[in-house]
Amino acid sequence: MGLVYIFISLYNLHNNVKKNVLIRGIDEGTYRRAKSAATARGISVGKAMNEALDRWAKDAAYADLETEFDANLAFVASNWEKLRESRGKAVVVAGGVLRGVFNGYPQARAFASKFRLALAFVVDEPPLEREIEIGPELEV
């Protein structure tokens, strides 16, 4: 399908895309305190949730994902000549390491899904454009 398969949505990270969601299991007391705090700051509960979720995600692993993504790209850039030996085959790079070479993109994509973040692409000429695939749970 695309040249690069990424398990995160770079589009959502860099664009202010809003989505309505239902969050189950929120403690009623916690919600009331959050609503009061948001009102006191003059912001909506949605804005407060965005701030809290963003802070939580950054603390949890976003920095690690960004570092891993950069390591994957650096591996491809520094090993492109060696990767060209697999011209016409699909490769998977994860954790800054070549993880596998496959006869077809569908097999590479299935294998790449085992990793938290991976690049899967068919080796041809260095890609000038990159297609980012967003998983169904990250639909825009």
Side-chain angles (χ1 to χ4, degrees):
M1 172 147 188
L3 296 176
V4 178
Y5 181 73
I6 302 174
F7 292 99
I8 62 172
S9 167
L10 293 179
Y11 180 82
N12 284 343
L13 292 174
H14 298 293
N15 293 290
N16 194 15
V17 177
K18 299 203 185 313
K19 181 174 180 120
N20 292 324
V21 296
L22 169 68
I23 302 175
R24 293 186 177 118
I26 300 293
D27 178 73
E28 189 174 337
T30 301
Y31 178 77
R32 278 198 307 265
R33 286 190 304 278
K35 185 172 180 176
S36 295
T39 301
R41 286 183 55 199
I43 63 172
S44 68
V45 174
K47 182 162 177 51
M49 287 299 299
N50 279 328
E51 290 176 8
L53 288 171
D54 187 52
R55 192 172 318 116
W56 180 82
K58 284 179 180 173
D59 290 347
Y62 175 71
D64 291 342
L65 287 174
E66 191 169 24
T67 301
E68 189 173 340
F69 179 73
D70 290 342
N72 291 343
L73 289 181
F75 175 85
V76 171
S78 64
N79 292 285
W80 183 252
E81 288 306 314
K82 185 172 181 172
L83 288 171
R84 284 181 70 180
E85 295 172 7
S86 299
R87 178 171 275 182
K89 296 194 181 245
V91 298
V92 174
V93 176
V97 176
L98 178 64
R99 299 295 181 157
V101 178
F102 302 85
N103 288 325
Y105 182 74
Q107 296 88 2
R109 184 176 169 189
F111 181 75
S113 70
K114 298 176 184 179
F115 299 95
R116 184 171 71 149
L117 181 124
L119 302 179
F121 59 95
V122 175
V123 178
D124 198 353
E125 290 304 314
L128 299 175
E129 292 184 20
R130 182 171 59 196
E131 189 173 305
I132 299 172
E133 185 167 326
I134 301 170
E137 67 280 354
L138 298 173
E139 262 178 24
V140 182

